[in-house]
Amino acid sequence: MLEEPRRAVHPDIDRWAADSGAGGLDHLDYAAQRLELPGWLAVARCLRPTFVEVLDCVIWDRAYEPENFQSWYTHLHGDATSVEAVLNQFRLWHVVDSGSTPEAEKPEMETYLQRLAEDIAFCWRSTLESDFPRRSFEVRVLDTEDGPVVQALVQR
């Protein structure tokens, strides 16, 4: 049986594994060396967030604040999809520091950020489908000037 090549997660991880001299190390070992339980829990919550249902909207709990929600709901004339489009956004540049990336490496960094956004979108879709089985969702990655944004909407 032919072994499929592993998709490189990031060159820094490959360098770290090679420099360790231990052989066979990968992304999980890299994370294990850097994260303690609170870090693992935070990453898990980013990948499997909680969503709340309010006035026919399904909103990321991190973005839900009753007064802010009501303000957007009123401003957007009760259009649930528009409210979700505004509030259900995971802007990767808010959490991933890429500002110090040398100009020559920016295209590569954008590729890795895009992959990360696609992985987060996959996880969000799975979470939403599991937590709200009677609804259908569109979870997409928006390409913005600042970088990728994961957005989740109920399909109506």
Side-chain angles (χ1 to χ4, degrees):
M1 179 175 201
L2 291 177
E3 205 175 294
E4 274 196 42
R6 272 188 313 162
R7 182 174 103 176
V9 176
H10 192 276
D12 288 354
I13 296 172
D14 294 337
R15 277 191 290 279
W16 170 83
D19 291 349
S20 74
L25 297 179
D26 63 12
H27 58 280
L28 186 56
D29 301 298
Y30 183 87
Q33 290 288 316
R34 285 158 176 74
L35 297 175
E36 294 183 4
L37 182 58
W40 283 105
L41 293 170
V43 169
R45 187 66 186 265
C46 290
L47 298 175
R48 194 190 192 312
T50 299
F51 291 88
V52 296
E53 214 167 351
V54 185
L55 296 176
D56 197 40
C57 297
V58 176
I59 303 296
W60 182 18
D61 75 334
R62 187 174 194 274
Y64 178 72
E65 191 282 315
E67 287 179 25
N68 184 54
F69 172 84
Q70 191 59 52
S71 176
W72 279 110
Y73 193 83
T74 301
H75 177 73
L76 297 169
H77 310 289
D79 181 343
T81 301
S82 295
V83 174
E84 291 165 348
V86 169
L87 296 178
N88 290 344
Q89 293 189 21
F90 187 144
R91 298 168 183 92
L92 269 67
W93 71 87
H94 282 182
V95 296
V96 178
D97 179 21
S98 59
S100 60
T101 304
E103 203 58 42
E105 295 176 18
K106 286 201 178 191
E108 184 177 321
M109 173 64 113
E110 289 172 8
T111 298
Y112 287 108
L113 283 171
Q114 183 68 26
R115 282 187 193 168
L116 176 59
E118 290 167 4
D119 288 344
I120 292 168
F122 176 86
C123 293
W124 277 32
R125 186 177 303 102
S126 296
T127 296
L128 287 161
E129 289 171 352
S130 172
D131 292 353
F132 302 93
R134 289 181 170 73
R135 293 188 180 244
S136 297
F137 295 91
E138 178 181 359
V139 182
R140 58 189 173 192
V141 177
L142 306 175
D143 185 22
T144 73
E145 184 177 304
D146 295 314
V149 174
V150 177
Q151 183 183 64
L153 310 168
V154 173
Q155 289 183 333
R156 294 180 171 81

